[in-house]
């Protein structure tokens, strides 16, 4: 099975801008398979890995559940906690789909996050590398790609 | 017409009003509203709600209590807002907006929220 490239680095600029504008505390941009592409706010690679795996699972669950009960996938998730809120969005970038997990507190709001998501989507669209510039990601290379991306993001090889 | 229809109408009938929105105070999400073409209602609601929350924090820090009215005056226009019961009523207007009249109407309308 061939998936879109999961090359890390190209999304860093747009993500930095999004984090600054939307005032989110944590943000992870990932492939729907759970491969991390960019992150902000996490200090440990294991936390990023866990956040990506859980977000991918939530997305897959909502997708299937929506198709089952409503005939169409459920898209996005917003959860309000006591202090923090969580937002999981689907972003159509280029020909593919990416997931963005954002966590924010009272410094931001759902409206602000949604507002800057549109700008992030446009910035990612402009920054996404052409398919022929990066090797396609293969399912059998998932773990190797994941470890490579985490190492790149956290500066460890 | 929605339950906020009459309230919105009472404000949009004033000359110079470009948009009138009811938004969630906490989330900045538009609940209802009317706007001229070209006014980004979602952006206005989200950003104005954020400003109002900041204004409330400033007021709390100063010990002034609840913010009852918020006004932003810019070169090209004005934004007026007032909230109650978790909702925010936002009026976006031209620079020439009759602020006094709209302010009175806004305060009256907020009582209905």
């Amino acid at each position: 099975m061939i998936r879109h490239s999961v090359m890390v680095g190209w999304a860093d600029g747009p993500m930095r801008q999004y984090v600054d504008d939307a005032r989110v505390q944590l943000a992870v941009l990932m492939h729907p398979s759970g491969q991390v592409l960019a992150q902000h706010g996490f200090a440990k690679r294991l936390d990023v890995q866990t956040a990506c795996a859980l977000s991918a699972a939530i997305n897959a669950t909502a997708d299937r559940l929506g198709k089952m009960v409503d005939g169409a996938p459920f898209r996005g998730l917003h959860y309000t906690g006591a202090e923090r809120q969580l937002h999981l969005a689907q972003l159509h970038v280029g020909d593919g789909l990416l997931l963005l997990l954002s966590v924010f507190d009272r410094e931001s709001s759902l409206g602000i996050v949604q507002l800057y998501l549109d700008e992030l989507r446009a910035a990612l669209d402009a920054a996404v590398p052409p398919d022929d510039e990066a090797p396609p990601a293969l399912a059998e290379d998932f773990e190797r790609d994941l470890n490579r991306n985490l190492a790149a993001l956290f500066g460890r090889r | 017409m929605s339950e906020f229809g009459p309230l919105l109408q009472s404000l949009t009938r004033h000359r110079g009003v470009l948009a009138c929105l009811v938004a969630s105070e906490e989330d900045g999400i538009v609940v209802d509203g009317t706007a001229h073409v070209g006014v980004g209602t979602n952006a206005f609601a989200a950003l104005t709600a954020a400003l109002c929350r900041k204004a409330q924090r400033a007021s709390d820090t100063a010990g002034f209590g609840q913010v009852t009215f918020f006004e932003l005056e810019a070169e090209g226009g004005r934004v007026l807002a007032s909230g109650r019961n978790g909702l925010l009523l936002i009026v976006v207007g031209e620079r020439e907006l009759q602020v006094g009249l709209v302010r009175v109407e806004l305060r009256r309308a907020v009582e209905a929220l």
Side-chain angles (χ1 to χ4, degrees), chain B residues 41-64:
Chain B
T41 52
N42 289 338
F44 250 110
L47 295 169
T48 306
L51 281 173
C52 288
R53 284 197 306 276
K54 294 269 194 296
Q56 184 60 59
R57 281 175 61 178
S59 177
D60 288 343
T61 305
F64 293 163

PDB file of all heavy atoms in Angstrom, chain B residues 41-64:
ATOM      1  N   THR B  41     -17.715  37.156   9.076  1.00  0.00           N
ATOM      2  CA  THR B  41     -18.412  37.076  10.365  1.00  0.00           C
ATOM      3  C   THR B  41     -17.708  36.143  11.356  1.00  0.00           C
ATOM      4  O   THR B  41     -17.610  36.467  12.540  1.00  0.00           O
ATOM      5  CB  THR B  41     -19.868  36.619  10.168  1.00  0.00           C
ATOM      6  OG1 THR B  41     -19.856  35.419   9.399  1.00  0.00           O
ATOM      7  CG2 THR B  41     -20.688  37.655   9.441  1.00  0.00           C
ATOM      8  N   ASN B  42     -17.247  35.011  10.870  1.00  0.00           N
ATOM      9  CA  ASN B  42     -16.585  34.065  11.781  1.00  0.00           C
ATOM     10  C   ASN B  42     -15.322  34.674  12.391  1.00  0.00           C
ATOM     11  O   ASN B  42     -15.062  34.531  13.582  1.00  0.00           O
ATOM     12  CB  ASN B  42     -16.227  32.766  11.044  1.00  0.00           C
ATOM     13  CG  ASN B  42     -17.459  31.954  10.708  1.00  0.00           C
ATOM     14  OD1 ASN B  42     -18.499  32.106  11.340  1.00  0.00           O
ATOM     15  ND2 ASN B  42     -17.358  31.115   9.705  1.00  0.00           N
ATOM     16  N   ALA B  43     -14.562  35.346  11.547  1.00  0.00           N
ATOM     17  CA  ALA B  43     -13.331  35.968  12.023  1.00  0.00           C
ATOM     18  C   ALA B  43     -13.645  37.086  13.016  1.00  0.00           C
ATOM     19  O   ALA B  43     -13.017  37.191  14.078  1.00  0.00           O
ATOM     20  CB  ALA B  43     -12.541  36.524  10.840  1.00  0.00           C
ATOM     21  N   PHE B  44     -14.632  37.892  12.688  1.00  0.00           N
ATOM     22  CA  PHE B  44     -14.999  38.995  13.576  1.00  0.00           C
ATOM     23  C   PHE B  44     -15.447  38.479  14.933  1.00  0.00           C
ATOM     24  O   PHE B  44     -15.053  38.995  15.979  1.00  0.00           O
ATOM     25  CB  PHE B  44     -16.134  39.827  12.949  1.00  0.00           C
ATOM     26  CG  PHE B  44     -15.666  41.172  12.512  1.00  0.00           C
ATOM     27  CD1 PHE B  44     -15.572  41.488  11.169  1.00  0.00           C
ATOM     28  CD2 PHE B  44     -15.286  42.126  13.444  1.00  0.00           C
ATOM     29  CE1 PHE B  44     -15.112  42.724  10.758  1.00  0.00           C
ATOM     30  CE2 PHE B  44     -14.827  43.365  13.049  1.00  0.00           C
ATOM     31  CZ  PHE B  44     -14.744  43.666  11.705  1.00  0.00           C
ATOM     32  N   ALA B  45     -16.301  37.462  14.902  1.00  0.00           N
ATOM     33  CA  ALA B  45     -16.826  36.925  16.161  1.00  0.00           C
ATOM     34  C   ALA B  45     -15.698  36.340  17.008  1.00  0.00           C
ATOM     35  O   ALA B  45     -15.611  36.610  18.211  1.00  0.00           O
ATOM     36  CB  ALA B  45     -17.874  35.853  15.862  1.00  0.00           C
ATOM     37  N   ALA B  46     -14.833  35.556  16.376  1.00  0.00           N
ATOM     38  CA  ALA B  46     -13.748  34.906  17.120  1.00  0.00           C
ATOM     39  C   ALA B  46     -12.790  35.937  17.724  1.00  0.00           C
ATOM     40  O   ALA B  46     -12.422  35.847  18.898  1.00  0.00           O
ATOM     41  CB  ALA B  46     -12.983  33.964  16.196  1.00  0.00           C
ATOM     42  N   LEU B  47     -12.412  36.919  16.913  1.00  0.00           N
ATOM     43  CA  LEU B  47     -11.429  37.898  17.385  1.00  0.00           C
ATOM     44  C   LEU B  47     -12.033  38.866  18.397  1.00  0.00           C
ATOM     45  O   LEU B  47     -11.384  39.254  19.369  1.00  0.00           O
ATOM     46  CB  LEU B  47     -10.836  38.652  16.187  1.00  0.00           C
ATOM     47  CG  LEU B  47     -10.012  37.749  15.249  1.00  0.00           C
ATOM     48  CD1 LEU B  47      -9.681  38.466  13.942  1.00  0.00           C
ATOM     49  CD2 LEU B  47      -8.729  37.287  15.925  1.00  0.00           C
ATOM     50  N   THR B  48     -13.287  39.268  18.166  1.00  0.00           N
ATOM     51  CA  THR B  48     -13.919  40.194  19.119  1.00  0.00           C
ATOM     52  C   THR B  48     -14.153  39.508  20.460  1.00  0.00           C
ATOM     53  O   THR B  48     -13.955  40.112  21.524  1.00  0.00           O
ATOM     54  CB  THR B  48     -15.253  40.734  18.554  1.00  0.00           C
ATOM     55  OG1 THR B  48     -15.009  41.302  17.278  1.00  0.00           O
ATOM     56  CG2 THR B  48     -15.849  41.787  19.463  1.00  0.00           C
ATOM     57  N   ALA B  49     -14.583  38.254  20.423  1.00  0.00           N
ATOM     58  CA  ALA B  49     -14.777  37.515  21.680  1.00  0.00           C
ATOM     59  C   ALA B  49     -13.450  37.405  22.438  1.00  0.00           C
ATOM     60  O   ALA B  49     -13.417  37.529  23.665  1.00  0.00           O
ATOM     61  CB  ALA B  49     -15.350  36.134  21.396  1.00  0.00           C
ATOM     62  N   ALA B  50     -12.368  37.188  21.692  1.00  0.00           N
ATOM     63  CA  ALA B  50     -11.044  37.107  22.333  1.00  0.00           C
ATOM     64  C   ALA B  50     -10.669  38.442  22.975  1.00  0.00           C
ATOM     65  O   ALA B  50     -10.159  38.492  24.099  1.00  0.00           O
ATOM     66  CB  ALA B  50      -9.993  36.703  21.295  1.00  0.00           C
ATOM     67  N   LEU B  51     -10.945  39.531  22.258  1.00  0.00           N
ATOM     68  CA  LEU B  51     -10.662  40.870  22.810  1.00  0.00           C
ATOM     69  C   LEU B  51     -11.480  41.132  24.071  1.00  0.00           C
ATOM     70  O   LEU B  51     -10.985  41.692  25.046  1.00  0.00           O
ATOM     71  CB  LEU B  51     -10.975  41.946  21.762  1.00  0.00           C
ATOM     72  CG  LEU B  51      -9.937  42.172  20.673  1.00  0.00           C
ATOM     73  CD1 LEU B  51     -10.471  43.143  19.635  1.00  0.00           C
ATOM     74  CD2 LEU B  51      -8.643  42.734  21.280  1.00  0.00           C
ATOM     75  N   CYS B  52     -12.739  40.727  24.028  1.00  0.00           N
ATOM     76  CA  CYS B  52     -13.620  40.950  25.177  1.00  0.00           C
ATOM     77  C   CYS B  52     -13.148  40.154  26.395  1.00  0.00           C
ATOM     78  O   CYS B  52     -13.223  40.626  27.523  1.00  0.00           O
ATOM     79  CB  CYS B  52     -15.068  40.590  24.829  1.00  0.00           C
ATOM     80  SG  CYS B  52     -15.819  41.777  23.706  1.00  0.00           S
ATOM     81  N   ARG B  53     -12.670  38.936  26.144  1.00  0.00           N
ATOM     82  CA  ARG B  53     -12.157  38.136  27.263  1.00  0.00           C
ATOM     83  C   ARG B  53     -10.923  38.787  27.876  1.00  0.00           C
ATOM     84  O   ARG B  53     -10.746  38.839  29.086  1.00  0.00           O
ATOM     85  CB  ARG B  53     -11.817  36.719  26.792  1.00  0.00           C
ATOM     86  CG  ARG B  53     -13.032  35.824  26.591  1.00  0.00           C
ATOM     87  CD  ARG B  53     -12.612  34.348  26.543  1.00  0.00           C
ATOM     88  NE  ARG B  53     -11.588  34.102  25.555  1.00  0.00           N
ATOM     89  CZ  ARG B  53     -11.825  33.886  24.260  1.00  0.00           C
ATOM     90  NH1 ARG B  53     -13.060  33.905  23.813  1.00  0.00           N
ATOM     91  NH2 ARG B  53     -10.850  33.671  23.418  1.00  0.00           N
ATOM     92  N   LYS B  54     -10.070  39.329  26.976  1.00  0.00           N
ATOM     93  CA  LYS B  54      -8.871  40.023  27.463  1.00  0.00           C
ATOM     94  C   LYS B  54      -9.267  41.276  28.255  1.00  0.00           C
ATOM     95  O   LYS B  54      -8.678  41.588  29.289  1.00  0.00           O
ATOM     96  CB  LYS B  54      -7.984  40.434  26.286  1.00  0.00           C
ATOM     97  CG  LYS B  54      -7.374  39.259  25.509  1.00  0.00           C
ATOM     98  CD  LYS B  54      -6.031  38.873  26.078  1.00  0.00           C
ATOM     99  CE  LYS B  54      -5.240  37.969  25.158  1.00  0.00           C
ATOM    100  NZ  LYS B  54      -5.831  36.680  24.906  1.00  0.00           N
ATOM    101  N   ALA B  55     -10.262  42.001  27.749  1.00  0.00           N
ATOM    102  CA  ALA B  55     -10.733  43.206  28.433  1.00  0.00           C
ATOM    103  C   ALA B  55     -11.271  42.847  29.816  1.00  0.00           C
ATOM    104  O   ALA B  55     -11.039  43.561  30.799  1.00  0.00           O
ATOM    105  CB  ALA B  55     -11.815  43.893  27.602  1.00  0.00           C
ATOM    106  N   GLN B  56     -11.962  41.713  29.904  1.00  0.00           N
ATOM    107  CA  GLN B  56     -12.506  41.272  31.190  1.00  0.00           C
ATOM    108  C   GLN B  56     -11.378  40.950  32.168  1.00  0.00           C
ATOM    109  O   GLN B  56     -11.452  41.294  33.348  1.00  0.00           O
ATOM    110  CB  GLN B  56     -13.408  40.046  30.981  1.00  0.00           C
ATOM    111  CG  GLN B  56     -14.095  39.564  32.242  1.00  0.00           C
ATOM    112  CD  GLN B  56     -14.994  40.629  32.848  1.00  0.00           C
ATOM    113  OE1 GLN B  56     -15.917  41.109  32.212  1.00  0.00           O
ATOM    114  NE2 GLN B  56     -14.694  41.038  34.086  1.00  0.00           N
ATOM    115  N   ARG B  57     -10.321  40.330  31.643  1.00  0.00           N
ATOM    116  CA  ARG B  57      -9.190  40.007  32.511  1.00  0.00           C
ATOM    117  C   ARG B  57      -8.507  41.273  33.010  1.00  0.00           C
ATOM    118  O   ARG B  57      -8.089  41.359  34.160  1.00  0.00           O
ATOM    119  CB  ARG B  57      -8.186  39.124  31.764  1.00  0.00           C
ATOM    120  CG  ARG B  57      -8.650  37.671  31.730  1.00  0.00           C
ATOM    121  CD  ARG B  57      -7.745  36.808  30.914  1.00  0.00           C
ATOM    122  NE  ARG B  57      -6.373  36.761  31.425  1.00  0.00           N
ATOM    123  CZ  ARG B  57      -5.416  36.029  30.883  1.00  0.00           C
ATOM    124  NH1 ARG B  57      -5.675  35.305  29.810  1.00  0.00           N
ATOM    125  NH2 ARG B  57      -4.204  36.019  31.379  1.00  0.00           N
ATOM    126  N   ALA B  58      -8.403  42.253  32.113  1.00  0.00           N
ATOM    127  CA  ALA B  58      -7.799  43.534  32.500  1.00  0.00           C
ATOM    128  C   ALA B  58      -8.653  44.202  33.575  1.00  0.00           C
ATOM    129  O   ALA B  58      -8.138  44.743  34.565  1.00  0.00           O
ATOM    130  CB  ALA B  58      -7.663  44.445  31.289  1.00  0.00           C
ATOM    131  N   SER B  59      -9.962  44.148  33.382  1.00  0.00           N
ATOM    132  CA  SER B  59     -10.878  44.744  34.346  1.00  0.00           C
ATOM    133  C   SER B  59     -10.806  44.034  35.693  1.00  0.00           C
ATOM    134  O   SER B  59     -10.807  44.674  36.753  1.00  0.00           O
ATOM    135  CB  SER B  59     -12.307  44.690  33.784  1.00  0.00           C
ATOM    136  OG  SER B  59     -13.214  45.204  34.715  1.00  0.00           O
ATOM    137  N   ASP B  60     -10.726  42.715  35.637  1.00  0.00           N
ATOM    138  CA  ASP B  60     -10.619  41.929  36.879  1.00  0.00           C
ATOM    139  C   ASP B  60      -9.336  42.288  37.626  1.00  0.00           C
ATOM    140  O   ASP B  60      -9.333  42.442  38.848  1.00  0.00           O
ATOM    141  CB  ASP B  60     -10.607  40.423  36.560  1.00  0.00           C
ATOM    142  CG  ASP B  60     -11.968  39.917  36.110  1.00  0.00           C
ATOM    143  OD1 ASP B  60     -12.967  40.620  36.345  1.00  0.00           O
ATOM    144  OD2 ASP B  60     -12.030  38.829  35.507  1.00  0.00           O
ATOM    145  N   THR B  61      -8.251  42.413  36.848  1.00  0.00           N
ATOM    146  CA  THR B  61      -6.956  42.749  37.455  1.00  0.00           C
ATOM    147  C   THR B  61      -7.004  44.117  38.133  1.00  0.00           C
ATOM    148  O   THR B  61      -6.420  44.321  39.195  1.00  0.00           O
ATOM    149  CB  THR B  61      -5.847  42.749  36.377  1.00  0.00           C
ATOM    150  OG1 THR B  61      -5.876  41.480  35.713  1.00  0.00           O
ATOM    151  CG2 THR B  61      -4.475  42.963  36.974  1.00  0.00           C
ATOM    152  N   ALA B  62      -7.717  45.024  37.499  1.00  0.00           N
ATOM    153  CA  ALA B  62      -7.831  46.378  38.056  1.00  0.00           C
ATOM    154  C   ALA B  62      -8.874  46.452  39.168  1.00  0.00           C
ATOM    155  O   ALA B  62      -9.027  47.499  39.807  1.00  0.00           O
ATOM    156  CB  ALA B  62      -8.178  47.357  36.934  1.00  0.00           C
ATOM    157  N   GLY B  63      -9.616  45.348  39.340  1.00  0.00           N
ATOM    158  CA  GLY B  63     -10.659  45.347  40.369  1.00  0.00           C
ATOM    159  C   GLY B  63     -11.900  46.101  39.962  1.00  0.00           C
ATOM    160  O   GLY B  63     -12.657  46.567  40.810  1.00  0.00           O
ATOM    161  N   PHE B  64     -12.135  46.200  38.644  1.00  0.00           N
ATOM    162  CA  PHE B  64     -13.285  46.968  38.152  1.00  0.00           C
ATOM    163  C   PHE B  64     -14.548  46.125  37.977  1.00  0.00           C
ATOM    164  O   PHE B  64     -15.605  46.651  37.665  1.00  0.00           O
ATOM    165  CB  PHE B  64     -12.962  47.630  36.807  1.00  0.00           C
ATOM    166  CG  PHE B  64     -11.921  48.715  36.902  1.00  0.00           C
ATOM    167  CD1 PHE B  64     -11.262  49.166  35.763  1.00  0.00           C
ATOM    168  CD2 PHE B  64     -11.598  49.285  38.124  1.00  0.00           C
ATOM    169  CE1 PHE B  64     -10.299  50.157  35.854  1.00  0.00           C
ATOM    170  CE2 PHE B  64     -10.637  50.283  38.217  1.00  0.00           C
ATOM    171  CZ  PHE B  64      -9.985  50.712  37.073  1.00  0.00           C
TER     172      PHE B  64
END
